[in-house]
Structure formats: C-alpha cells, structure tokens
Amino acid sequence: MNKPKKVAILTAGGLAPCLSSAIGSLIERYTEIDPSIEIICYRSGYKGLLLGDSYAVTPKIRENAALLHKFGGSPIGNSRVKLTNVKDCIKRGLVQEGQDPQKVAADQLVKDGVDVLHTIGGDDTNTAAADLAAFLAKNDYGLTVIGLPKTIDNDVFPIKQSLGAWTAAEQGAQYFQNVVAEYNANPRMLIVHEVMGRNCGWLTAATAMEYRKLLDRSEWLPEIGLDRAAYEVHGVFVPEMEIDLAAEAKRLREVMDKVDCVNIFVSEGAGVDAIVAEMQAKGQEVPRDAFGHIKLDAVNPGKWFGEQFAEMIGAEKTLIQKSGYFARASASNVDDIRLIKSCADLAVECAFRRESGVIGHDEDNGNVLRAIEFPRIKGGKPFDIDTPWFVQMLAGIGQSKGARVEVSH
Amino acid sequence: MNKPKKVAILTAGGLAPCLSSAIGSLIERYTEIDPSIEIICYRSGYKGLLLGDSYAVTPKIRENAALLHKFGGSPIGNSRVKLTNVKDCIKRGLVQEGQDPQKVAADQLVKDGVDVLHTIGGDDTNTAAADLAAFLAKNDYGLTVIGLPKTIDNDVFPIKQSLGAWTAAEQGAQYFQNVVAEYNANPRMLIVHEVMGRNCGWLTAATAMEYRKLLDRSEWLPEIGLDRAAYEVHGVFVPEMEIDLAAEAKRLREVMDKVDCVNIFVSEGAGVDAIVAEMQAKGQEVPRDAFGHIKLDAVNPGKWFGEQFAEMIGAEKTLIQKSGYFARASASNVDDIRLIKSCADLAVECAFRRESGVIGHDEDNGNVLRAIEFPRIKGGKPFDIDTPWFVQMLAGIGQSKGARVEVSH
Amino acid sequence: MNKPKKVAILTAGGLAPCLSSAIGSLIERYTEIDPSIEIICYRSGYKGLLLGDSYAVTPKIRENAALLHKFGGSPIGNSRVKLTNVKDCIKRGLVQEGQDPQKVAADQLVKDGVDVLHTIGGDDTNTAAADLAAFLAKNDYGLTVIGLPKTIDNDVFPIKQSLGAWTAAEQGAQYFQNVVAEYNANPRMLIVHEVMGRNCGWLTAATAMEYRKLLDRSEWLPEIGLDRAAYEVHGVFVPEMEIDLAAEAKRLREVMDKVDCVNIFVSEGAGVDAIVAEMQAKGQEVPRDAFGHIKLDAVNPGKWFGEQFAEMIGAEKTLIQKSGYFARASASNVDDIRLIKSCADLAVECAFRRESGVIGHDEDNGNVLRAIEFPRIKGGKPFDIDTPWFVQMLAGIGQSKGARVEVSH
Amino acid sequence: MNKPKKVAILTAGGLAPCLSSAIGSLIERYTEIDPSIEIICYRSGYKGLLLGDSYAVTPKIRENAALLHKFGGSPIGNSRVKLTNVKDCIKRGLVQEGQDPQKVAADQLVKDGVDVLHTIGGDDTNTAAADLAAFLAKNDYGLTVIGLPKTIDNDVFPIKQSLGAWTAAEQGAQYFQNVVAEYNANPRMLIVHEVMGRNCGWLTAATAMEYRKLLDRSEWLPEIGLDRAAYEVHGVFVPEMEIDLAAEAKRLREVMDKVDCVNIFVSEGAGVDAIVAEMQAKGQEVPRDAFGHIKLDAVNPGKWFGEQFAEMIGAEKTLIQKSGYFARASASNVDDIRLIKSCADLAVECAFRRESGVIGHDEDNGNVLRAIEFPRIKGGKPFDIDTPWFVQMLAGIGQSKGARVEVSH
C-alpha cells in the first residue's frame, strides 16, 4: 500500500451524465477511506492544469459532496484543451510560444505535489493523462493516472459500459416521448430523431429501446388515433449497419401510406461517409474539431436523411429533432450513479496501490472491473449490431438487419 | 334548452399541450351529461371536414376517453389547412378548381347533420369556424360553433389564460434544467434558450419563471462550482420590451467576467423587427407561412442574439437551444387538465343553449368564464410587461425593465 | 335561471381523498362563472352551522383555491355531528336543552342568507341536508341543497363512482407494496391487509386490483426469492361474498406450504356478522358510532381472520396491517381530481337552476351525471361481486367466487 | 491478498430498507471484481445456516442482481433465530436435543466450504457471526466474517450511519404527510405518530425533520384552514430526553386551544421505563422477545402518551398512528443505495484481505469507513440530543430541550 498524500481530479471533453456524480463519488470515497488525503480539482480540465487553477476540496465540500449527484454537466468545468494541440494552447494563452504544454502540465502537477491524477473524460482525455504519466516517469516523478470512461457513445475499447450512456439513452427516449406527438401535426409527417454519437450507433439503438419500453407501458385507443403503430419507431439507422436506401424507402413508404407518419432514429454519424464524400466531391471543406474529429454539428446527417427519405417515402413535412444536448447535459439516473460509484470506489482502491489505468469492465477479461492498461484504451468501438436486444428490436419494428459496416474514425 | 343531436370536434393549427385532453374532456362531458348525443371528430382539422373524413366516437372510445389526458399532440390530427386559403386547398386536392372551401365545408356539416362544431385551435382556427357559422346562418342552417382557445403563446384577446400555455412553460423549464449544465462545457459560454412564441413574450417569461422555481428548490455548493449565479437566468428578452443592446451587453459582459457564462431566454419573436429590417435592407425575401405570419423557423432571432451578443459580451462559445417542440408536444400537466376541463364543461353547457363563442375567462368581463363572442376574439395580445411576477423576476436577475414596444402582427 | 346570491359549503363524516379538492373546485367554479356570488364555508361540518361559525371566502382565497387540490382531509374541518342526534348536540354544547338542532341550523342558514348549501359527505351527511331543505320549505325558505357523494367505500345508491374511492384504492395499494416485504421476515408468515369499508367490499377489491397492477409492472428474479408468487394477493374477502372458511383454509395452507407466506386483503366489514354474532353470544356489548353504525375500529375482523386462518393454514406469524387512515387522508389523485371537477361544475350549474339533489352518475339513468333526487340516495350499496374485473382477479389468484351474501346495514 | 473461493450471505433480525439492496450490491461487486468466486445465500438467516438451506447465486442472478435495489425486505428471508438461544432452536426443529446450534452452524459453513460470511443485520446478528468465527478459529478454520450494519434505529456503537435509517425516516415522513389530514376530522384532535425504535430516538427525530422538509416545500392558505401551524410537528419525544410532562402538557394545551389539534412524534421506546415501572408496580408481566428485548409491540407508549396527554391537553379525540412496518419494509432510497454500496464495495475489499469486522464509518476514527472490530460493536447507542439539527428543530417548534436521560437496554 502506497497511500497518496494529494490527489487531483479533472474532467474534459464533451458533457455526459456522469461527470458531476463521478467528482462527488471520488470526493466521498477518499473522505470516507482517508480524510487526510488532500484533494484538488483543476478548473475546466487541462486548461486549469496548465494555468495551475484549481479548487481546493474543503471540509464543507466533503460534507456536502452528495449534492453533486443531483447535477448534470461538470461543476468544475470542462474544456476541449488538448496538451498535444500546441497551436491551440498558445492561441488560448495557456502556454507561451516555445513551451511544451505537456511539460507545463507536468511541472504544475509536481508543483502541486499531486501523487494521483483522476481524469474523467473520453478516450483522448484519458490517454493524454497517460502520456503525462509516461513523461513524468522519465523524470522519475511517480504520478499515478486513473481514468474514468466518460462517454454517452459507449464506444471505448475494451470497456463494457461507459459512464453516462444509460442516462443519455433514457433522457433521449423521454425527449422523443414528447416530440413524437408531432406525428400528425401535418399529414404524411416524417420525424427524424437525430441522436448524438460520432461513429457509434450504441446510443441511437439504446435510445430507441428505452423509448419502446415507454410505449410498452402506455395504453392505446386506436379507434380515435391513439395507435401505437403511429407512435412506433419505424427505422433505426446506425453507422455500423449498411442501409439499403431503396429497400428501406419502399418499406417506409408503405408505413407512411398506412399510418400517415414515419419516425426514424438516426445516429449523428449514420451515413456521414456518404455525406462527406458528397461534400468533398463538391470541393467543400469538411469542418473538424480540436481532436481532428469531423465536427458533426456542422455536417447534418439528420437533415440529409430527411431530404433523401422525405422524397422517396412521399413525406409531406419533415421535422428533424436533436435530443443531444438535452440528453448529455442531464444529471445521472440511479443505474449510472451505481455504475459510477462502482468505478470510483475501485479508482480509490487503485490509487492506494498506485495502479494506473482506466477503470472499467474489461471485455477482454470476462468483464472484470479493473484498471485497464492505458495502451489498450481506444475510442471508436463500433456498436455490435448482433447484440440480442438490437436484433430483437429490429424484428419488432419490421426492419431487416443490414450487413456490418466498418466505420472509419 | 335546445339539445344538440350530433356534435363534431376538430383540432387545427400548431400543437399545444391541451388538444388531446380537450378532446377527451368534451367526449367525457357529453357522455356523462347525455350519452345519446352523437359525436364525430374530423381527421386532421379542416382537411377532414373538407373531405368528410371523420372518426365516429364509439361506446368503447367513450369508456376509455380518460386515456386522452395522458397524451400530447392531437390523436385526431391537425393540419394548417385554412378554408380562406383557396389556392392552398386546391393544391392539397381538398377542393376542385372553382369550388369555395367554405361552401364545401358547410355542405359537409349539413350532410353530417352536425348541430354543434367544437373547434380547438388558435385565433385563426376559431374565427374560421365562426365564418362557417355565419355562412350557414344565411342558409338558415343553425350551426353553433364553440371554440376552445389553444395556444402556448397565451396571446388571445380577451382570454386570460389559453389552454396548454402553463404546461409549455413547465416543460421548457425542465428542458433548460438539463441543457444549462453546458454553461461550463467551454469557458465564457453563452447559452441562448430560444422559446416559441411569435409575437408574444408570455411563454418566454413564464418559462423563465418556472425554471427559477426549480432553482429555488435546489441546494448549492459554490465552493466547488455548484453556484446558482452560473445556473441563473441572466436575461429575458421579449418582443414587447425594448432592449437597450448596449446597456444589456455591458451588464452581461460583467456577468460573463464574473461567472464565466451567460444564460438568456429569448422569445422566438424577440427582436424580429430588427432582424427583418436588417434582411429587407439587404434586399432578402422574408419567408411567411399559410397564414401570412413570418415563418419564424426560417428567421432565427436566437442565432442573431447569439452573434450580436456573443461578440459584445466576449463569449468564447455560443449554444443555441430551442425547447419549442419538446414543450408544445407534451401531454397536459394537472393545472392545464383542470383549466381544459373548466372550459370543456362550460362548452357542453353552451352547446345545450346553442350559445356560440370561444370559451375563456373574459378579461373584459371580470375574468368570468363564458362563451366569448367571436368578433371580440383576436390574436396578437401582447404580454403585459407590467405583470407583477415579471417585474419581480427582472428585479431578481438584475435586468432593468425596458419601455413597452408595440408589436406588429 | 335563478342565480344564488350566497352559497355555503360544509364537509362532514369521515375523511376521503376528495374533500379539499371538492371545496377548491366549487370555489374555483363559482369564481369563474360569477365572482359576485358570496361563498362561506361552515367550520367542522354541522358543528359550524349550529354555531354560525364559518370562513368567508375572500378574493385571496379565490385566487389561490387551486392549492386545495394538493391537500388531503378537509381544511375547513369535519365532525361527526348529526342534526338528528339531539342528545349528542346538547352534550357537545352546540344547542341548548329543548332546542331542535334542525331548527337552529335552519335559522342560521336564513340568518346567513344562504340560498344554496353544498354538502360534501356520505349518505347520512347529504340526507341530513335534504331534511333541512324540507324543513325550510315548510317555512317557504327556498334553500337549495346540492350534495357531493364523498366516500371511499363507493357504496351509495344509485351513484356509479363516489368521490375519493379511486385515490383510496391507489394509496392502499402503495401502502401494501411497502409492507408486503414482511412476507419473509419470518417463516410461514400470514399478512392480513385490512382495508377500510364498513359493509362494502368495493375498496378492498379495488385496492387488490391496483396492487396487482403494480406487480404487473415489476420485474422478478425467483431464483433469489424475488418471486411474484410470494408478493401476490392470495385471497380477497369482502362482506358481499360468502367465504367457505374450510375450503379457503385448505387452499391457503397449500399456498403457505408452497411459498412460505400468505397475503390476504380483508374488508374491515368482512365476516363482521360472524364476529358480532360471536360477541353477542358471549353477552358482550357491541360498540356503535354517532350514526348508529357498528364502530368497526373496536371490532377487529382483521385480527379475527388472522387468528381463524393463522391456525387453519399453519401460519407461524401473523402481521395485521391497516391502510385505512393512510389511504383516506391522502390528497386526490388526478383521476379523482377530474371526477370531483365533473361533479362540482355540474353542482354550480344546478345551483343556478336551484336544482337540489346529490350530483353523481345515476346508475338508474344510463350513468348520466345529474342531481340525483335525495329520496333515491341510500348508503349500503353492496359491491357487485359479478363485476368483470373482480371475477377476472379471483380467477387470476386462483380463488373461487363464493355465493352472494346480503349485507345488513 | 488471500482471495476467497466461496462466500455466503445471510440477513437476519427485523426488516430495514437496505437488506435487498445490500444483497444486490455484494453480488454485483463480487461478480465485477472476480466472477470466479462462488456465492451462496442462506435462506431465512441463521435458520438456513443451521439447515444447510441456501440459494446458489447463478449467472442469471448475477446478471439481474440490479433488480434487488427496487425491492424492500430481504428476498432471501430473515428470521429471529439466534444461535445462542438453544431452547428456541430446538423448539423450531433446527437442531436436535443436546446439539449446540453454534457447532451445527460452524460445521455447515465448513461443509459448504465458505471462506467469508457476510451478515447483514443488527448488532446481535453481527456479533453472533463473530462468535462463530471465534469458535471456528479454535478449530483452525479461517472463517472471515464481515458484517453490514442494518438498523433503522441508527443506534450501533461506533457506527456513524446504519443502513436503511435514512429511507425509514423519509418513508415515515411521507406516511405522516397523509395521515396528518386527520388533524381536523374531529375538533381538538391529538394525533400521536409512533415511530419505531426500541431505545433510540434517532428515527423519531429524523422522521420529524424529513416531514418538516415536506412542510417547507408546501404553500399555505391559512385563510381557509391550510395553516402550517395545524400541520406542524408540535412535540418530539425521544427516550434520551427527559420529558417534563406537566410543562409539555401546558404548552400543548395552548397549541390545542390555538389550532384545535396537536401532532406529536413519539419513539416506540419513549417513556417505556415509566410505563414498565407502572406495569411492574401493578404486578403485570412485561413481554420480552427472543433477544430479551422488551417486546415494544405489546407495550404501547403511543397509547400511553395518547391517554396521559389527551386528558392533560383537553383533546376530544386521539388517533394513534404507527408508521413502523410501512417505513422499514420499503425499498432503499437513492442516498441509502449509495451508502449501502460504499459499505458493500469495502466489504468485498476486506474479504480479499480476509479482514473481519463490521463495515461502517468509525466514529472513534474520524468517521473513516473501515471494518470495525467486532468487540467494539454494541447496540444501544443513544441518540445525541445535542445534534445541531435536533436542537434547531426543537427551537423551530417551540419545544424546550429536556435533560439527557441514560437509556437502559
């Protein structure tokens, strides 16, 4: 046992319904296991680390840390700052010209006397921290880095379930339970529910499943229009599954003719390759974010599906609805609160053993919860379209399962 | 007493969280007062009336009508069809060339043997029905038309509270309770919450008030970022109140400097005149809908505020969030269920007295609930910025009250 | 139309989840139909009427009357005072020796200038008011009395659904959803859920049905004891159905042997005749309340069933749980709020027509909602054990339907 | 690290809203840390251990263990069997004449190959397990016993917060939120809310505090009887605080005169000494349970308070309400689910270190969460009447704080 004297916490990347609860769980666990261990939280992720700007976790914060489970987002703040994006760090005034952000960050950790750094973020956030540890190791500064896998996409190798994804699916389902009522605000209505998720369809599929659970619990009265057939999910399109547009358009035109509306759930990243190809063919520049990912907000597959399908299925009106921010900024539901706590409690255990890695249920180790070695952590895990509940759902909505598609990241 | 033998119900215009519950309340009241009275519901508003396409309300529907209170939207369907928009009716194939939609509709009512027509819609829906009654009266066909005032904008003269507006404010507040957590997903973040409402700021103001009630019930921990000051509503902009952009930008820049974020609630129609003026100055065509209203969806005041303000208050990132569809497509909350029933019960009473009008609390008659004479029904009632709770809210968030602005419709 | 100038409201008898909402609904309806009509509320039922002690309904109360829907009980107070129980009225100091309470009450109504008296109570409360009206009529004082049928027993001729009964069943079900977990706090456990209801088994049957809806929505894991068979309702005993004790004991012993527990729902009045017969055989005095009803609290059928059955089915431990007060003192659920408003809105309509009676869905008139003539109002309506959902439930739990029993009142 | 091959779980003693969630948390944690470790659950506590009757935790149970968090009670069953109560074990047919239950239990554990025994129960359940371990140690069988502190009384030395107590307080508050509406079902009404808790007033005080939080969130309308003064807690009586009956009666008579009702929260064990003294003075036998505790159910302090106080404060009617079973049989709320998981996660950590003790926040060690040595575990921790929130509550309801009373156990 090599008990840390001082630990730091930082959150980074986009929001997910787990950041606040994860901060709360870590503070609560350290406080109940050994309140003598100092805790600081860097403000706005790596920005705060570079500037040496952090919250000191006072006794009052420790006593009231349970409040953090009731909030979404990250009270200590996120930012898209990446230590390897030197140009961006300079532009933001976080480092001087000629400085290496990684060196500045490392020095700050040493200056702050941090033994263990807990990062709550996506694969890029966690691997950036691992690089820091490696950097410091060369200067024999023993920094232990323990990551918690935050992403609503649930697309991190080899992690069975990432933090916040369940809540995002449940919130997206509740979002659609409201907006679906637009199905007959206009005859022959197409509603496109665009669900967040760059290159992974897990959230889209899980949101559709959660929404159909809500339909299972409703009572219907088709004689006066309360007909499950019109409230149903008619199509689920994920990047990992080939879409035979002609066949699907034919199937969905029949649905339109029958129930005068069509509701489809579409991954933000479904069909992106086709759209990007179309844009590049027209010589248009494809927008990318600080991490080099295609800036999906600017590329609008939902709108593209609306147009492509709207005409082919004879829709009179199209409504495109994005549940992204509503879902990802929510507070954690009870299942995620327990999953987060499972990981945070082990994270503190590992801190005492100075065991680095990303805490998660290791799919290559019988789903055992452990500190997964950083080198094995990778984003872009595709949604497995052979997952039983997905196969069952497609059958339930009469959609044939397309072939598996390799999604590029 | 001149008991009707057969009544018809139709819903029209955009959705609001009252249509389904209003249909249910009318069916339940007729059934419990006199089950011998036949009820039909025209499908998709005036479209169904023109085509003679309607649901017959069977004993099974009567027995299960309570289910309708659990759904949003309008199970019997809405459409934007307007009897006076002859060109549009012909284009939709609802009438032949040379036919007068009003005549076709009137004939259908006579053919269906309808004594009383209940219309649930905005001011244009209800006045269109009044015109029908006047038309039929000339041919001695005594059609009684009783309107129920559906609009989330709460902007109908002389009606104190329109149906569905309370629920829309509550749902918009819950929507923002999720997305506000984006306030620190990026340093110096501006979140623009764009609330539906063409030329009336009531829904924007009421949504802000409902959201602040949620803040009142939360506990805070500013020491670690859970600071009400960052979750607060920092500005509320409604069409009826002059906005001193320079003064507001100065005030909000100070908020940004202090809490690193600014959250403003903006009516869909706030500042539209300024935007439309800017577009017309640049010779751009202004998009309008079937009713001649400015098609707000195409004109984006939220985006304009984001840009105008973003620069003036030094925001680093702007997030524009629209709660419109989420709020208006929801099922009615308990307060609206009771308001709807108050009106529906009186509507049936008036039907027995063949008393036409729009049921509402008549602001020019001591707020008495009565069938308000059609000629006195007009849309475009401005939000009264001297309403005590609004004055109190502005004071609470440190925003000075601008002068009253006459809003053109 | 003979518009009242001043109306009075009083609540009496035991609590039911409708009194507060009924008061609120009446105040709201009078205020929205004609705010010039004065309203007073007699405090603690007939006690306040005899003492001339009442609340004046001020503008502030009218404006905030909606709050009343959020409370159980009766804010203006109930009491068991009965005008015909002269001895009791004297004992309570409400009238002097030699005074006739009915005369005192009538004089008070005249003195207060009340045109319409709304009574919210059981059959005895409402018929007492009818007697008052008849008394006043002889002195040509035109008092209109309009009763609202409050009882959780749902046992009033000829009223289809009394106010508060639905909520009581739902609350009783939620009560049992907690306490059922005692089923294995001890091996071979008998839980007797005693449900309020003097001589009518409707509430017991409806509570069992609502509880089984909660079971339908649960997921089970019998492999580790989460077995619906143990949480199930194993027996429902109502006064109107003959119980073959030997056969039921045999059936329930088999259940005990199989799932190590038995849960039975028992009407407070089930088997009371057998118990009372047993007490009178032993020369014991049977306790009665001010209305002459058997004071069920003192006679404990639940305990009697626990002993009678406990031995015959080999129970090791018996737990007797009464959900009565928890259920009857609750605020109204949404279904009851709507039923109450249906009746209150018509009550005000009738007040304008000076039409006396008890507002209810008249089972002898096709369930039409109307002011039912007082002479036809009678308590003691037995629960119809041939009701489809009851027959279906008995089949679902494997309990054979006993013969119909005439219940004495 | 000395990884166990096989662990067993048993629950014993009365119910508390934590047993099912604790079983679920242990199964989930073992499964996610090392699914190769076998788990069995003894059925009905020590009864199952003596009979060798246990559930094997199958892969299906492991996969669905999360369901256990949604149920109250203990799906694997409890019983009051105590290994040291030889006579009782023989009477129940669990051991033969002449057999020592402890020996039979120890042999069973050896036979089942159990390395670690997790007991979820009160102080007597956990110390009984410690005795077993000591017994086995003499026969060099290394059994690790890890207890989880289940009690709604929150009265275990030196544990800061026992499992299930928070939920019990919250449920008791919701129970009273219903029944308080009886406050004016009769003039001058005394409602005695009797809260479970043998010799510790924590639950009574905490239930009163949770109930007053509900009052803080309500809106009032005193002009028509919705007066917080009548819904308020007027007195809180706990065993650890001296009650000056005369002074309190005087104070509460004034409350009765003012608001026509009095609501008091009374610990099941408050004033028991005075009652027991009175019963022994009259030569009556005092009932005791298998653990030698006074069988409080038979001694009714609530009723005694009702009579003693009813007369002295001039109550016309007394209603005694017990929330005990409703509160203790409930499923865990979110705060308890997290507390239970904190303890269960550490319990599994300790199992790997073969570290025995009761998991809890050790009040004599800065509230650190650890396996507290069995010898230091004792029941009967008195409620500290100097706790700030209790002192504040008494001041808030105008009740003076009595002197501290030593409570015998």
Side-chain angles (χ1 to χ4, degrees), chain D residues 169-303:
Chain D
E170 193 184 64
Q171 291 286 314
Q174 283 169 14
Y175 182 86
F176 197 74
Q177 184 176 37
N178 269 24
V179 300
V180 70
E182 299 276 347
Y183 79 91
N184 66 359
N186 207 81
R188 299 188 71 87
M189 172 75 102
L190 167 63
I191 303 182
V192 179
H193 179 195
E194 205 187 295
V195 181
M196 264 188 177
R198 289 177 188 149
N199 307 308
C200 173
W202 181 87
L203 185 57
T204 302
T207 304
M209 188 187 64
E210 285 300 319
Y211 171 67
R212 298 190 75 230
K213 279 189 203 165
L214 297 177
L215 297 183
D216 293 343
R217 261 189 255 138
S218 301
E219 289 170 68
W220 304 97
L221 196 55
E223 299 83 344
I224 187 132
L226 289 183
D227 187 349
R228 169 157 187 165
Y231 286 76
E232 188 53 273
V233 176
H234 300 116
V236 184
F237 301 116
V238 294
E240 298 88 350
M241 190 169 79
E242 212 174 56
I243 309 155
D244 176 344
L245 275 182
E248 278 303 290
K250 182 172 171 295
R251 181 176 70 85
L252 292 175
R253 175 177 281 270
E254 281 154 23
V255 170
M256 182 65 90
D257 295 344
K258 206 169 139 238
V259 290
D260 203 37
C261 76
V262 163
N263 309 314
I264 57 176
F265 280 50
V266 176
S267 292
E268 234 181 356
V272 164
D273 304 328
I275 300 171
V276 166
E278 212 178 294
M279 293 173 81
Q280 282 162 329
K282 289 178 186 148
Q284 292 159 351
E285 213 225 311
V286 180
R288 294 178 183 276
D289 68 17
F291 299 100
H293 290 219
I294 295 171
K295 279 194 74 175
L296 282 165
D297 280 5
V299 174
N300 193 329
K303 193 161 156 297

Side-chain angles (χ1 to χ4, degrees), chain C residues 145-183:
Chain C
V145 172
I146 303 173
L148 288 176
K150 163 237 66 148
T151 166
I152 55 176
D153 298 350
N154 200 19
D155 66 344
V156 182
F157 285 110
I159 291 180
K160 185 180 165 208
Q161 184 67 31
S162 62
L163 310 185
W166 280 330
T167 304
E170 192 184 67
Q171 290 287 314
Q174 280 169 16
Y175 182 87
F176 196 75
Q177 183 177 38
N178 269 25
V179 300
V180 70
E182 300 277 347
Y183 78 91

